Amino acid sequence: MFLCVLLFSLVSSQDTQPNIIYILSDDLGHTDVGFTGGKIKTPVLDRMAGEGVRLTQQYVQQVCTPTRGALMSGRYPIHTGLQHDVIYPGEPWGLPLDEVIIPQILKEYNYSTHAVGKWHLGMHRYKFTPVQRGFDDFFGYYLGGQDYNTHVNGG
């Protein structure tokens, strides 16, 4: 399972806008967490789901790159060119740079933006990477199939 956690928080504590935590988890079944009736104990996620807003009517794509592109841009993958497959190592493409994405919009509202996990939206040029697309910082992998212990890309 690959996890991408997007954290958006306010720069000033005087603002009344909410903090936003958006969790996208590849290969997670609907009942693989406690708050949906699953047997796996997930007390922190359960508490967050109970105290926050749960988005329950979204659609995911067949693989992670189109899903992540849709999440970031708010557009169906067919409109971003990401509808077919994942981005493999060395491929010279990514989420188009003219697509305005979530962290860029939230910056206009004084949010700080952070991403943890898998990016998988392009990295063949630095301007396609998360910190160049609006995130203040990024901790994770640019591609999929990374081994968390060896840090070697397996596919």
Side-chain angles (χ1 to χ4, degrees), residues 88-110:
Y88 291 98
E91 289 189 335
W93 59 285
L95 181 64
L97 297 174
D98 61 349
E99 291 291 342
V100 177
I101 62 175
I102 290 174
Q104 295 166 324
I105 294 168
L106 290 176
K107 286 291 192 189
E108 296 173 13
Y109 295 93
N110 205 32

Side-chain angles (χ1 to χ4, degrees), residues 9-10 42 72 153:
S9 60
L10 295 171
T42 56
M72 288 292 168
N153 185 315

